[in-house]
Amino acid sequence: MLTSGRVGWFRRVRGVVAGFFNPGIAGLLFILFFFVLYFILSLIPLRIGKLFVEPILWLYKSRNYSVGLSLTGSVIPAIVAIALAWLLHKRRHRAIPTIMANKWFWAFVIIYVVIITALPIISPIATAVILRLNLAALILAAPLIIIAIFDLARDVNEGGYWVTAEAYIALFISLILSDSITALMAGIATETMHLFTKASLVIGGYGATDGLVLIPTEAAIAALITTAMIRRLRSA
C-alpha cells in the first residue's frame, strides 16, 4: 500500500516525465527541425571529408596512444560555447538547460562514464568492434543529445530567443562529454588492455565539418527558426 508521501513523489515524477515528453507544438517543431537539419548536415563530412583539422593541440602522447584537440573542430566551438554562456549569465538567463542543472542528470552521466570506461575490461571484443567502427562517440552521445533536445523543446515552447544560445551550449556539452569519454575508453583499450598496437584520436577530427561544430549549430538554427515562427503566429 502506497503512503501519501510515496504517492506525492510518484505524482511529481509522473508530472516531470509527462512534461518532458509533451513539450508543446513549438517544442515538437523544434525537435523536427533539429533532426531534419541533423540528417542533412551529417552528410557534409562524408562528402567533403576532413576540413581545416590542423593545427592540433596534443593533450596526451605515449608510445602507443595519443589524443589531441583540433583547433577548428573543438577549441573554437568551446570558446563560442563559453562566450554564449557568459552572455546568457550577464542577461540573467540560464546558461544551460534545466536538465543539465539537475543532480540526477549528472548522476546518470557519472554512471554512464563508469560503465563505458570499464567496457575494455568487461568486454574487450565489444570495445574493439565499437572503436574500429567509430561507433563509440555516437553510442555515448545519443542519449545525452536526446535528453538535451527534449529539455530544450520545453524552453523553445516559451518563445524566447535566448534559447538559441542555450541550444548551442547544451549540444556542445553533450558532444564534448561523449568525445572525451571516447578518448578515455580508447586510451584504456590501448594502454591497459593492449587491444590496439597503436592508436591516435583527435577530438574535433573533422575540423570545420566536425559534429562539435555542426550539431550545436544545427540546434541553434532549429531553435531560432522555431522561435521566430511561433512568435509570428502568436502576434498574427
Side-chain angles (χ1 to χ4, degrees), residues 136-192:
L138 179 61
I139 292 171
L140 286 162
L144 300 179
I145 289 174
I146 290 170
I147 290 171
I149 287 297
F150 272 89
D151 191 60
L152 283 166
R154 292 182 302 169
D155 293 337
V156 170
N157 202 47
E158 296 174 4
Y161 281 111
W162 54 267
V163 77
T164 302
E166 189 181 313
Y168 185 97
I169 295 167
L171 270 295
F172 179 79
I173 290 174
S174 300
L175 289 162
I176 199 66
L177 277 172
S178 68
D179 284 1
S180 301
I181 298 166
T182 299
L184 181 60
M185 184 175 79
I188 293 172
T190 306
E191 299 279 56
T192 305

Side-chain angles (χ1 to χ4, degrees), residues 5 10 35 49 112 131 133 174 204 219:
F10 177 75
F35 282 108
Y112 203 43
L131 290 174
L133 295 177
S174 300

Side-chain angles (χ1 to χ4, degrees), residues 184-224:
L184 181 60
M185 184 175 79
I188 293 172
T190 306
E191 299 279 56
T192 305
M193 303 304 295
H194 307 294
L195 298 181
F196 307 98
T197 55
K198 192 171 184 179
S200 180
L201 188 147
V202 176
I203 296 175
Y206 275 89
T209 57
D210 194 80
L212 279 170
V213 177
L214 294 182
I215 297 177
T217 304
E218 292 161 14
I221 293 171
L224 180 62

Side-chain angles (χ1 to χ4, degrees), residues 2-236:
L2 291 175
T3 63
S4 59
R6 289 182 180 178
V7 170
W9 178 84
F10 177 75
R11 285 177 178 171
R12 286 197 299 271
V13 171
R14 186 176 62 183
V16 170
V17 172
F20 188 77
F21 288 105
N22 291 281
I25 298 299
L28 292 174
L29 280 173
F30 164 69
I31 293 169
L32 174 63
F33 286 139
F34 171 78
F35 282 108
V36 167
L37 286 170
Y38 176 81
F39 287 119
I40 292 173
L41 296 182
S42 63
L43 298 175
I44 290 177
L46 298 177
R47 295 186 179 278
I48 296 178
K50 297 183 178 182
L51 187 67
F52 306 128
V53 177
E54 295 181 343
I56 297 171
L57 173 64
W58 293 103
L59 300 177
Y60 177 81
K61 276 189 173 185
S62 74
R63 185 176 60 184
N64 299 321
Y65 182 63
S66 57
V67 59
L69 298 174
S70 164
L71 176 65
T72 308
S74 60
V75 177
I76 291 177
I79 293 171
V80 171
I82 292 168
L84 290 174
W86 177 83
L87 182 63
L88 286 169
H89 178 72
K90 291 291 286 185
R91 292 180 176 271
R92 300 184 183 278
H93 291 303
R94 288 195 306 268
I96 57 174
T98 308
I99 193 71
M100 288 187 175
N102 189 301
K103 61 183 179 181
W104 293 110
F105 172 80
W106 290 105
F108 165 75
V109 170
I110 291 169
I111 293 169
Y112 203 43
V113 168
V114 170
I115 292 171
I116 294 299
T117 52
L119 191 61
I121 300 170
I122 298 169
S123 179
I125 295 175
T127 303
V129 171
I130 290 171
L131 290 174
R132 286 187 186 280
L133 295 177
N134 293 321
L135 295 175
L138 179 61
I139 292 171
L140 286 162
L144 300 179
I145 289 174
I146 290 170
I147 290 171
I149 287 297
F150 272 89
D151 191 60
L152 283 166
R154 292 182 302 169
D155 293 337
V156 170
N157 202 47
E158 296 174 4
Y161 281 111
W162 54 267
V163 77
T164 302
E166 189 181 313
Y168 185 97
I169 295 167
L171 270 295
F172 179 79
I173 290 174
S174 300
L175 289 162
I176 199 66
L177 277 172
S178 68
D179 284 1
S180 301
I181 298 166
T182 299
L184 181 60
M185 184 175 79
I188 293 172
T190 306
E191 299 279 56
T192 305
M193 303 304 295
H194 307 294
L195 298 181
F196 307 98
T197 55
K198 192 171 184 179
S200 180
L201 188 147
V202 176
I203 296 175
Y206 275 89
T209 57
D210 194 80
L212 279 170
V213 177
L214 294 182
I215 297 177
T217 304
E218 292 161 14
I221 293 171
L224 180 62
I225 293 171
T226 307
T227 303
M229 285 178 58
I230 293 301
R231 283 203 166 188
R232 180 166 297 223
L233 287 171
R234 286 173 178 171
S235 63

